[in-house]
Amino acid sequence: MVSRVIPVQAFDLVIFGGTGDLAQRKILPALFRRHCAGQLPDSARILGAARADLGSGGYRELVRDALQRELADSELAKHRIELDAFLTRLDYLPIDAMDAAGWQALAMTLGPPTSDRVRVFYFSVGPSLFAPLAEQIWAHDLADDQTRIVVEKPFGHDLASAKALNCTLASHFDENQIYRIDHYLGKETVQNLMAIRFGNMLFEPLWNSQYVDHIQITVAESLGVSGRESYYDKSGAMRDMMQNHLMQLLCLIAMEPPAKFDPDAVRDEKLKVIRALETVEPHHIVRGQYVLTEGETAGDDNSYRETVGDPRSTTESYVALKAHISNWRWAGTPFYLRTGKRLVARSSVINVFFKDAPHSIFGADAGRHANLLTIRLQPNEGITLKVTIKEPGPGGMRLIDVPLDMSFAQALGADIDDAPDAYERLITDVIRGNQTLFMRGDEVEAAWGWTDPIIAGWTSRGDVPKPYDSGSTGPGDADLLMRRDQREWRGINP
Ligand code: NAP
């Protein structure tokens, strides 16, 4: 199987925040890989912009260092020649989003927008600069109706701020020019979710409350908040992960089949899911905050409160909840969602638990056996379906569960290694003008509309997160949440 690489059309990409962490770790390595894959036309230009007083030469060295840090030695060795060619695509301009300086030079460098080059402005800066950047681009006449902007997360802090930002962006750009990025949507398996559901006859007839007992979505991280403490302490797991990444996964799992794989058709269906979410009862949510495991000494792995430098912080680094979707397909099937930092392993998994067979012809001794579909997003992307078979050998009909395992790495071999990562795919989608994997303004607002009352409830009740040990699976109350429903979480495995 050989993947086809279709070059994108000529473009100018301006990365505001081109010297920042995200640009160095994700955006520029993604662009370099697409360059190596032959997907960027010769005339494509990439322009870094930030306040630092760098020249293009200094920026190229900064990017060279970043690529050497971020890419494996073997990958760099394989693409040594391409590295120099890639760096010559790069330029840099010192620009302050909050000041007029630098904007005239940007206008001169870019020239007037033309129909034969796509123009993209990537907002890889702190969220307080998203609106000022949109204003500056407009004030300096840098965009036409083909220009696209990419807006990083977080998109708002609550419904009011998301609405205000949507409103500012909408006063200068049409919705089809705004790409709100959630890199989870760029993952290969996330798209495979749609392929599995809507490309096969097998699952869709069973994909409802009649056959599905419950669904678990877990996004577990083994790292803490170190390096992002000031942002994170104002945000917490609910805003940082649940409102966007887990919500998007929930939408893709639960949505109705769109009429076609088209950006608005897909996003219309996702929006219906969010709007059908019931308000979550306070006793169906558990918040946690990591503490040092007994015997562990403070160091890089401090407790949450030590890391953020606030001994009284009540920000959650973990949240688990039970959600219900009020529609015909899902009435009665709970969705359990959990995410947290400093957990036992880094693992993003969706588990679809099917119901038991209504009657066992093998008698009570055969035990209970239910099918389980596991969709692993990271690491080791792949899909496993647990099915029940007869245990081999004599001695009657004993049943066991075995996995039908499709590791993408095994099934697709080298092709999966060459598959673009999330940022590669999403950036090329922006250049192609495909918004399917980007959040629409109304989706983001609906997600905040569901999240806000939960957070407001914590504030009004003076809720304090439950402590959980670093390296554990989260607070005990999260297990209780499941046990009350006679269920349990699947283990968090790397
Ligand atoms: P960062 O490391 O702090 O970088 C911020 C960038 O913005 C720097 O290049 C900085 O350079 C520039 N900048 C700051 N103030 C500016 C101004 N007034 N005008 C022009 N440029 C300015 O932040 P980051 O981690 O890269 O994050 C960038 C955005 O991506 C944030 O919205 C963040 O939430 C989002 N994000 C980041 C990650 C991640 O893994 N890092 C993941 C998901 C989303 P100067 O100081 O020289 O101006």
Side-chain angles (χ1 to χ4, degrees):
M1 210 184 313
V2 180
S3 14
R4 277 181 313 143
V5 173
I6 302 167
V8 295
Q9 74 182 96
F11 66 87
D12 287 332
L13 168 63
V14 181
I15 310 172
F16 292 110
T19 57
D21 176 69
L22 184 70
Q24 294 198 40
R25 283 194 310 109
K26 296 289 180 190
I27 303 170
L28 288 154
L31 287 162
F32 175 62
R33 290 201 174 106
R34 288 300 91 204
H35 167 94
C36 295
Q39 203 157 19
L40 309 190
D42 289 344
S43 63
R45 295 191 297 174
I46 299 162
L47 199 92
R51 289 169 305 175
D53 192 14
L54 286 175
S56 289
Y59 188 59
R60 287 175 190 160
E61 283 318 301
L62 180 143
V63 176
R64 183 193 292 277
D65 288 350
L67 294 177
Q68 282 170 346
R69 217 173 32 244
E70 298 304 326
L71 305 184
D73 289 348
S74 54
E75 189 176 0
L76 277 172
K78 194 168 144 199
H79 297 298
R80 204 178 297 281
I81 297 169
E82 286 97 331
L83 177 59
D84 287 326
F86 175 72
L87 293 174
T88 60
R89 289 183 187 279
L90 304 181
D91 275 314
Y92 177 85
L93 281 175
I95 295 177
D96 188 341
M98 304 302 288
D99 189 282
W103 289 93
Q104 214 46 51
L106 179 61
M108 298 276 288
T109 305
L110 291 175
T114 56
S115 58
D116 58 345
R117 290 182 82 74
V118 176
R119 182 169 292 185
V120 180
F121 295 105
Y122 197 130
F123 295 4
S124 180
V125 290
S128 62
L129 298 179
F130 296 162
L133 280 177
E135 306 273 8
Q136 293 275 27
I137 290 168
W138 181 77
H140 292 90
D141 219 3
L142 294 175
D144 65 3
D145 55 11
Q146 295 306 312
T147 301
R148 288 149 209 176
I149 58 168
V150 182
V151 186
E152 263 300 334
K153 71 166 248 201
F155 196 95
H157 187 72
D158 52 19
L159 177 57
S161 55
K163 272 187 170 169
L165 181 54
N166 269 336
C167 189
T168 306
L169 299 184
S171 56
H172 306 308
F173 299 94
D174 284 340
E175 183 59 36
N176 65 11
Q177 297 178 271
I178 304 170
Y179 290 71
R180 296 173 193 79
I181 200 162
D182 178 338
H183 71 275
Y184 260 68
L185 290 180
K187 286 181 186 294
E188 191 71 22
T189 322
V190 171
Q191 289 164 80
N192 243 321
L193 248 174
M194 286 186 273
I196 288 163
R197 281 195 60 194
F198 305 130
N200 294 288
M201 195 55 200
L202 196 60
F203 295 114
E204 201 47 32
L206 307 179
W207 211 258
N208 55 54
S209 59
Q210 203 183 336
Y211 295 100
V212 176
D213 177 71
H214 74 283
I215 292 178
Q216 296 182 13
I217 304 179
T218 298
V219 177
E221 296 174 278
S222 53
L223 295 178
V225 298
S226 181
R228 298 174 69 211
E229 41 287 67
S230 71
Y231 156 73
Y232 195 91
D233 202 40
K234 290 189 214 86
S235 168
M238 192 72 193
R239 289 189 171 96
D240 188 50
M241 299 294 291
M242 189 66 79
Q243 183 271 348
N244 41 64
H245 300 321
L246 280 92
M247 174 68 78
Q248 289 295 319
L249 297 180
L250 173 73
C251 287
L252 294 175
I253 278 282
M255 72 184 188
E256 295 300 316
K260 51 188 169 175
F261 192 58
D262 149 295
D264 277 325
V266 171
R267 296 183 303 175
D268 285 346
E269 296 306 335
K270 282 163 58 195
L271 178 63
K272 285 183 205 161
V273 173
I274 307 176
R275 289 191 172 152
L277 276 170
E278 288 176 16
T279 308
V280 182
E281 304 281 341
H283 62 284
H284 288 162
I285 311 183
V286 177
R287 296 168 85 209
Q289 198 183 58
Y290 61 83
V291 295
L292 285 183
T293 316
E294 215 178 293
E296 207 178 5
T297 47
D300 286 347
D301 295 330
N302 281 327
S303 69
Y304 178 84
R305 287 180 174 180
E306 280 169 285
T307 306
V308 300
D310 177 358
R312 290 191 304 186
S313 169
T314 56
T315 304
E316 77 286 352
S317 59
Y318 176 100
V319 64
L321 57 84
K322 176 161 85 161
H324 281 287
I325 299 172
S326 284
N327 64 17
W328 273 54
R329 186 186 284 265
W330 292 118
T333 296
F335 288 72
Y336 298 93
L337 278 55
R338 66 177 163 168
T339 180
K341 299 220 171 266
R342 287 289 278 133
L343 294 176
V344 60
R346 171 175 171 263
S347 170
S348 300
V349 185
I350 300 170
N351 283 299
V352 181
F353 290 78
F354 289 90
K355 290 188 173 169
D356 290 349
H359 163 72
S360 171
I361 62 166
F362 306 110
D365 292 348
R368 294 178 59 190
H369 297 271
N371 300 116
L372 168 65
L373 179 70
T374 299
I375 301 150
R376 293 187 306 275
L377 294 129
Q378 67 183 20
N380 309 323
E381 293 186 46
I383 289 167
T384 309
L385 178 64
K386 201 179 77 173
V387 292
T388 303
I389 61 163
K390 176 189 168 298
E391 191 176 335
M397 188 61 107
R398 289 189 306 273
L399 303 183
I400 53 167
D401 295 328
V402 292
L404 290 180
D405 200 339
M406 196 182 92
S407 148
F408 292 167
Q410 268 169 20
L412 305 175
D415 257 19
I416 192 78
D417 296 335
D418 293 342
D421 85 355
Y423 275 91
E424 293 173 60
R425 171 173 295 112
L426 294 172
I427 293 170
T428 46
D429 277 359
V430 176
I431 297 163
R432 291 206 175 96
N434 184 347
Q435 290 187 302
T436 310
L437 300 175
F438 295 83
M439 292 174 294
R440 212 168 51 191
D442 50 4
E443 262 185 271
V444 178
E445 289 184 14
W448 280 121
W450 177 77
T451 313
D452 273 5
I454 297 174
I455 297 173
W458 292 336
T459 311
S460 68
R461 290 192 301 276
D463 188 89
V464 177
K466 300 278 185 293
Y468 63 93
D469 284 347
S470 296
S472 71
T473 55
D477 282 20
D479 297 328
L480 218 56
L481 175 76
M482 292 300 245
R483 248 181 275 137
R484 280 204 299 260
D485 295 347
Q486 285 86 51
R487 297 187 174 104
E488 57 183 36
W489 293 107
R490 281 285 278 180
I492 300 177
N493 303 309

